[in-house]
Amino acid sequence: MRLLTHTARCVLHTHPPPPGSSRGFWGWLNAVFNKVDYERIKTVGPDRAAAEWLLRCGAKVRFCGFDRWQHDYNGLPTGPLGRYKIQAIDATESCIMYRGFDYLNGLQHVEEIKLVKCIYIEDACLERLSQTESLQASMREMSVVSCGNVTDKGIIALHHLRNLEYLFLSDLPAIKEKEKTTDRLQTALPKLTIDLDLA
């Protein structure tokens, strides 16, 4: 079954609904995209299932050993179970939300995650991400940009990503105590470079 194209999916969650439509419908549809299919995870493995989830929601993935980003759901590579491992996630303008984060369990090779203009990303998402054991070991770089629901609490939670080396924070209006928050993070992760572009 072919799903919506990447372009069509992005229209669903990056532009306001047309006049006369209901915001509730778009929220419901995005929630459907984020529903976790545990049987699918068992059948195709965590990386393939997570890639399908991310692409359904308008994100992109890059697999280990490849330079090219995958953004077309219907173009995901096929092959032996477990052959393709997700190394990087670019969730720019995607509709990923907390209810889908169980897809992150079992991802052993993710080194980079970009959360840019993600309207459903909130503190609980960052807390959930940072408590995922495999990501605690593998994550090296992260960007959180223009995610209006992220507060100091969510950023501080990232201290669980013990191997994080670089963190870029920009346009996060709900961050109220940037110095205190970044100091706490820096204390917990002395080797972390934090790049700030906060008002």
Side-chain angles (χ1 to χ4, degrees), residues 20-141:
S21 66
S22 167
R23 277 186 188 272
F25 170 76
W26 304 105
W28 169 82
L29 187 59
N30 290 331
V32 170
F33 285 154
N34 280 275
K35 184 178 180 182
V36 179
D37 184 342
Y38 298 100
E39 285 303 314
R40 184 67 177 161
I41 295 172
K42 290 179 183 177
T43 301
V44 301
D47 289 87
R48 173 70 191 209
E52 292 174 353
W53 162 59
L54 289 160
L55 270 61
R56 269 198 313 270
C57 293
K60 297 183 289 188
V61 299
R62 193 178 71 240
F63 294 111
C64 293
F66 294 84
D67 295 325
R68 187 169 63 90
W69 288 89
Q70 294 285 333
H71 58 83
D72 180 5
Y73 183 98
N74 299 302
L76 277 172
T78 57
L81 184 64
R83 177 179 178 185
Y84 296 95
K85 304 293 187 182
I86 298 175
Q87 184 175 27
I89 297 169
D90 183 350
T92 299
E93 296 186 333
S94 73
C95 68
I96 64 169
M97 59 178 63
Y98 182 86
R99 72 178 300 182
F101 272 47
D102 278 4
Y103 278 114
L104 298 175
N105 295 338
L107 300 185
Q108 303 287 335
H109 301 83
V110 178
E111 296 180 357
E112 178 184 0
I113 294 179
K114 295 179 183 178
L115 301 173
V116 181
K117 297 181 180 178
C118 299
I119 62 173
Y120 296 112
I121 292 298
E122 54 194 354
D123 291 344
C125 298
L126 298 186
E127 291 168 351
R128 174 69 176 80
L129 186 153
S130 67
Q131 291 167 2
T132 303
E133 290 186 18
S134 56
L135 296 182
Q136 290 175 354
S138 66
M139 282 285 294
R140 299 291 185 272
E141 297 182 24

Side-chain angles (χ1 to χ4, degrees), residues 154-168:
I155 298 303
I156 290 171
L158 298 178
H159 79 273
H160 292 291
L161 300 174
R162 61 182 180 272
N163 291 315
L164 199 63
E165 298 172 355
Y166 177 78
L167 177 64
F168 178 56

